[in-house]
Amino acid sequence: MVELREKKLVFIELKLITDSRLRSKEGEPEIIRQMTGYSNFISQHAEELKEYYSKLLRIKKCIGLWNGDTEIEDISLKPELLIVNTYKKITKGREERIAYMESLKERADFDTIITDYPDLCK
């Protein structure tokens, strides 16, 4: 996902807490490689991304799909990993999984946000 926050473009990867790519029994989980790849891509192509999304916003405004600002002043070089916690009951295993997800916040290549949304998958 992409979000424009006060003229700053932010790239977001959304995962459910149950996604197997968030943990690994051996080595780093797949999500670490994925987010590091995103971070490297954004850093290498920041100006091109800024131009592309600025143009996209102008087009969307012209055809009535966007009524916000079309100017992008900055791009966040650190993508965000948004983890949606859908657990309704907390068990010891789930508590450990949440703690592990919290430890992902220590990664320098990306930011991690965990949000509770127990009714998402009704």
Side-chain angles (χ1 to χ4, degrees):
M1 297 187 304
V2 179
E3 182 179 359
L4 187 60
R5 295 182 192 154
E6 298 179 18
K7 298 185 181 188
K8 184 175 191 173
L9 195 62
V10 180
F11 295 88
I12 305 162
E13 177 66 19
L14 175 66
K15 298 277 190 234
L16 295 177
I17 198 161
T18 54
D19 193 311
S20 63
R21 294 168 289 187
L22 294 173
R23 285 196 73 181
S24 175
K25 293 181 182 179
E26 297 175 14
E28 284 191 337
E30 183 181 331
I31 193 65
I32 301 294
R33 291 185 302 279
Q34 181 181 359
M35 295 301 291
T36 300
Y38 290 167
S39 181
N40 292 338
F41 183 85
I42 294 165
S43 294
Q44 292 171 5
H45 301 282
E47 280 307 309
E48 295 161 274
L49 290 166
K50 183 178 174 183
E51 289 173 23
Y52 172 82
Y53 281 98
S54 293
K55 183 177 182 179
L56 180 65
L57 289 174
R58 287 191 305 272
I59 291 168
K60 287 178 80 171
K61 191 163 197 153
C62 285
I63 61 175
L65 296 175
W66 175 256
N67 63 358
D69 201 343
T70 60
E71 185 180 345
I72 298 172
E73 291 179 356
D74 195 16
I75 292 183
S76 176
L77 299 179
K78 287 178 81 171
E80 292 181 0
L81 172 60
L82 176 58
I83 301 172
V84 179
N85 178 1
T86 56
Y87 295 146
K88 290 185 181 192
K89 295 179 183 177
I90 299 297
T91 64
K92 184 178 181 190
R94 288 177 175 180
E95 209 170 71
E96 290 171 359
R97 186 172 185 85
I98 293 168
Y100 180 83
M101 299 304 138
E102 289 286 343
S103 75
L104 292 175
K105 292 180 179 184
E106 297 168 9
R107 295 291 301 186
D109 307 20
F110 59 92
D111 293 323
T112 303
I113 300 163
I114 300 174
T115 186
D116 293 333
Y117 201 158
D119 297 324
L120 179 67
C121 297
K122 274 187 170 180

